[in-house]
Amino acid sequence: MEWARGSLLIMVEWGMRAATASDVEAVVELRAVVMRPDLERLGRYDEHRVRQRLRDGFGAAHTWVIEGDGVLAGCGALRPGGDAPW
């Protein structure tokens, strides 16, 4: 994918792959950074809890990692739950 920033053309190779157990800490850190402003606004940010909660619920079998040029850019999870995934 490419996009222009001013007069500079930036090329990024995007990809998605199944997560592995070794991805947990990178995903934990990403979540903590992304969620911090909203959790602080709600008065609920706890540096340890935000990370531990994801560690406790991380399921590599149901998680996908999104990468830009081989670097973690995001993730998503879709888990089975009763009659429908969540």
Side-chain angles (χ1 to χ4, degrees), residues 14-58:
W14 293 98
M16 189 164 72
R17 64 174 175 79
T20 66
S22 65
D23 289 314
V24 68
E25 288 306 315
V27 171
V28 162
E29 194 56 33
L30 178 64
R31 179 179 188 267
V33 169
V34 170
M35 295 287 296
R36 185 175 188 147
D38 287 331
L39 292 172
E40 284 180 338
R41 181 178 49 82
L42 296 170
R44 299 196 50 143
Y45 183 77
D46 178 301
E47 191 169 333
H48 174 75
R49 186 169 186 254
V50 70
R51 288 169 172 85
Q52 194 59 48
R53 188 167 176 197
L54 189 123
R55 281 184 195 109
D56 292 344
F58 183 78

